């Protein structure tokens, strides 16, 4: 845990104590993950320092993106495996395409 | 077309099969009373109610999201009035199947839990395909999908050495399971499944649907229902719902395409509805 200058905090650091304005209103609750948008908002509310976990957690967005990427690659692999021998058969290319798009959207 | 049950290769192989599961007693009785046109929902309800375990399972299924009724159904008679004799019989058969066959562990490397997940999913997909093909009671066909691969379990249990050869050929030569079965045995799991359904005195339509689910062109008058099971199987394989032991999606055959008047534009809707129905059908997996 660290008490950091607002200019030194980074997205995806975890807020460890509620961030309050001068009137005691809670702006950001303990446990929240910082984002660029929240850092800007806190700056605009004249917050100068906050208590955060200084270790940058893996970005949710980034991990989701990576996850989706891995899932998409896995899905492509599985689709190739189960469809390749039959792709030349009537309608199977269209079915493979529709299935891939459906499962990709589902994931 | 001559029945494959009279084919000598098939007969010889079937004679080796010692372990043909018997039809659960309650279904034999159900078949009996359903032949009587005077049978009422109450008669059928009383018969099913005489087996509290079966009755409880039926109520669990009919009150699940699989049927999605707005209010709770508390008696079998009520379920029969709403769903009809054939659908309730299909549910009884579906839940009884799991006690007639092994459902846990592996047989010769085939994981039975994923096998049953595939079978239940094909049941669900078959219903959806039947609905799109304008069958008036598509839910009656769930059982055809559920049992479409049942011949594999019988073969795996009874012709172990031959089936090991088959699985090896599938892995080594990357050929479909049914092709390897045909080459090694001279027949496929589809014929064995049909043989079981004949032994169980199920309808000729269902027997034909199981027998020809890989090649509906041979189903004669039953081409449409065989095609429904065929496409249901293809949909479940595409969506990777469970594992029936075959590494590839079976190709859609022209006979099914024509019989069901299919169109490639149907695929996204069909896939979505099949997937959603299959998720709801998982209630049946509680009984394995």
């Amino acid at each position: 845990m660290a008490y950091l200058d607002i200019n030194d905090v980074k997205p995806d650091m975890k807020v460890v104590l509620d961030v309050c304005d001068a009137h005691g209103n809670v702006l950001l609750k303990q446990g929240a993950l910082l984002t660029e948008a929240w850092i800007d908002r806190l700056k605009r509310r004249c917050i100068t320092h906050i208590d955060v976990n200084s270790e940058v957690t893996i970005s949710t967005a980034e991990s989701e993106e990576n996850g989706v990427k891995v899932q998409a690659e896995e899905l492509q692999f599985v689709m190739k495996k189960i469809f390749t021998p039959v792709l030349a058969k009537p309608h199977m290319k269209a079915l493979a395409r529709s299935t891939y798009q459906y499962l990709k959207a589902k994931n | 077309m001559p029945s494959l049950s009279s084919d000598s290769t098939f007969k010889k192989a079937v004679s080796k099969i010692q372990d043909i599961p018997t039809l659960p007693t309650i279904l034999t009785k159900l078949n009996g009373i359903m032949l009587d046109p005077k049978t009422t929902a109450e008669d059928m309800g009383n018969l099913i109610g005489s087996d509290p375990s079966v009755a409880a399972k039926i109520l669990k299924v009919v009150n699940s999201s699989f049927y999605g009724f707005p209010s709770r159904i508390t008696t079998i008679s009520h379920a029969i009035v709403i769903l009809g004799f054939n659908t309730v019989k299909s549910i009884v058969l579906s839940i009884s199947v799991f006690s007639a066959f092994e459902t846990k562990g592996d047989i010769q490397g085939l994981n039975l839990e994923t096998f049953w997940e595939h079978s239940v999913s094909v049941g669900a997909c078959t219903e959806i395909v039947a609905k799109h093909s304008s069958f008036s009671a598509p839910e009656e066909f769930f059982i055809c999908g559920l049992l479409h691969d049942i011949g594999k379990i019988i073969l795996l249990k009874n012709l172990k050495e031959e089936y090991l050869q088959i699985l090896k050929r599938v892995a080594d030569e990357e050929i479909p399971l049914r092709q390897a079965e045909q080459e090694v045995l001279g027949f496929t799991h589809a014929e064995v499944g049909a043989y079981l359904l004949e032994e169980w005195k199920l309808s000729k339509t269902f027997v034909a649907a199981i027998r020809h689910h890989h090649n509906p062109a041979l189903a004669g008058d039953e081409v449409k229902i065989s095609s429904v099971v065929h496409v249901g199987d293809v949909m479940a394989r595409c969506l990777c719902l469970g594992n029936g032991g075959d590494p590839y999606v079976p190709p859609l055959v022209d006979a099914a395409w024509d019989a069901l008047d299919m169109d490639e534009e149907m695929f996204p809707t069909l896939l979505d509805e099949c997937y959603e129905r299959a998720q709801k059908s998982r209630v049946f997996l509680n009984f394995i």
Side-chain angles (χ1 to χ4, degrees):
Chain A
M1 174 172 144
Y3 186 57
L4 292 186
D5 189 297
I6 194 73
N7 294 309
D8 295 330
V9 296
K10 292 185 169 48
D12 301 307
M13 285 181 170
K14 195 187 242 179
V15 176
V16 279
L17 282 178
D18 289 355
V19 182
C20 301
D21 65 12
H23 307 289
N25 301 315
V26 177
L27 302 175
L28 196 54
K29 286 196 79 69
Q30 173 189 344
L33 279 182
L34 286 172
T35 62
E36 286 286 4
W38 265 111
I39 294 168
D40 284 347
R41 207 171 298 159
L42 294 175
K43 282 179 183 170
R44 286 201 301 274
R45 300 295 289 265
C46 303
I47 302 295
T48 57
H49 288 78
I50 55 174
D51 289 285
V52 290
N53 186 339
S54 55
E55 287 174 26
V56 177
T57 54
I58 297 172
S59 153
T60 315
E62 193 181 313
S63 70
E64 272 172 13
E65 200 178 287
N66 286 342
V68 168
K69 209 171 164 188
V70 169
Q71 281 174 5
E73 280 170 8
E74 274 175 11
L75 185 60
Q76 253 177 0
F77 175 77
V78 172
M79 290 290 111
K80 266 187 191 162
K81 196 176 154 196
I82 64 174
F83 274 105
T84 299
V86 295
L87 276 181
K89 305 278 183 185
H91 316 295
M92 294 308 281
K93 209 174 267 180
L95 182 57
R97 199 180 310 118
S98 294
T99 307
Y100 176 72
Q101 282 166 356
Y102 175 72
L103 290 176
K104 194 176 163 198
K106 198 88 195 155
N107 287 334
Chain B
M1 193 193 131
S3 164
L4 280 157
S5 310
S6 63
D7 179 86
S8 63
T9 316
F10 183 72
K11 264 192 159 178
K12 205 173 151 191
V14 162
S15 68
K16 285 196 208 173
I17 297 175
Q18 308 289 322
D19 193 13
I20 294 277
T22 52
L23 188 68
T25 318
I26 192 164
L27 275 161
T28 315
K29 290 182 183 168
L30 270 180
N31 280 339
I33 70 164
M34 282 175 71
L35 290 173
D36 181 351
K38 289 180 192 157
T39 296
T40 63
E42 200 181 342
D43 297 333
M44 192 173 171
N46 288 339
L47 173 60
I48 295 170
S50 67
D51 188 332
S53 156
V54 170
K57 286 175 181 172
I58 291 175
L59 291 177
K60 190 166 182 176
V61 171
V62 298
N63 284 306
S64 73
S65 61
F66 188 65
Y67 286 107
F69 292 120
S71 59
R72 180 159 283 274
I73 293 166
T74 53
T75 66
I76 298 295
S77 307
H78 188 193
I80 296 163
V81 169
I82 293 176
L83 293 168
F85 284 79
N86 286 328
T87 301
V88 172
K89 184 184 153 193
S90 171
I91 299 172
V92 176
L93 183 52
S94 302
I95 59 183
S96 305
V97 155
F98 301 120
S99 52
F101 292 90
E102 286 179 49
T103 53
K104 303 274 182 199
D106 290 50
I107 311 180
Q108 313 264 25
L110 179 72
N111 180 286
L112 291 174
E113 275 137 279
T114 56
F115 171 84
W116 285 111
E117 186 187 347
H118 170 67
S119 298
V120 166
S121 301
V122 176
C125 296
T126 298
E127 258 195 57
I128 295 296
V129 178
K131 186 189 88 177
H132 280 272
S133 309
S134 311
F135 279 92
S136 57
E139 59 280 0
E140 286 179 17
F141 301 113
F142 177 84
I143 193 67
C144 293
L146 177 68
L147 294 176
H148 78 292
D149 271 349
I150 203 69
K152 287 180 187 169
I153 301 286
I154 296 173
L155 288 172
L156 277 162
K157 282 204 73 179
N158 290 278
L159 302 176
K160 285 182 183 166
E161 283 178 24
E162 292 90 334
Y163 225 80
L164 271 181
Q165 277 183 52
I166 290 166
L167 294 174
K168 192 171 179 311
R169 287 185 74 159
V170 170
D172 293 349
E173 297 169 32
E174 298 189 336
I175 55 174
L177 188 68
R178 61 195 175 282
Q179 185 184 331
E181 286 174 341
Q182 188 67 47
E183 287 170 9
V184 172
L185 300 170
F187 55 87
T188 71
H189 64 273
E191 279 98 61
V192 179
Y195 171 75
L196 174 76
L197 265 65
E198 275 176 345
E199 289 287 299
W200 282 6
K201 310 274 185 284
L202 294 187
S203 78
K204 285 182 178 165
T205 302
F206 288 5
V207 172
I210 304 292
R211 175 171 288 138
H212 301 296
H213 74 269
H214 285 299
N215 195 356
L218 301 176
D221 291 345
E222 308 293 356
V223 62
K224 200 169 172 188
I225 180 61
S226 303
S227 299
V228 164
V229 180
H230 170 74
V231 177
D233 186 24
V234 172
M235 290 295 137
R237 288 291 297 122
C238 287
L239 293 163
C240 305
L241 299 166
N243 180 4
D246 205 319
Y248 312 115
V249 176
L252 282 163
V253 299
D254 290 342
W257 190 262
D258 296 339
L260 303 183
D261 197 20
M262 290 182 72
D263 188 305
E264 288 181 3
E265 285 181 11
M266 292 167 73
F267 287 153
T269 309
L270 215 47
L271 287 163
D272 183 41
E273 289 185 26
C274 284
Y275 184 88
E276 295 303 328
R277 190 75 182 146
Q279 297 311 306
K280 289 179 180 167
S281 73
R282 295 180 70 84
V283 64
F284 285 96
L285 296 174
N286 292 327
F287 307 129
I288 71 171

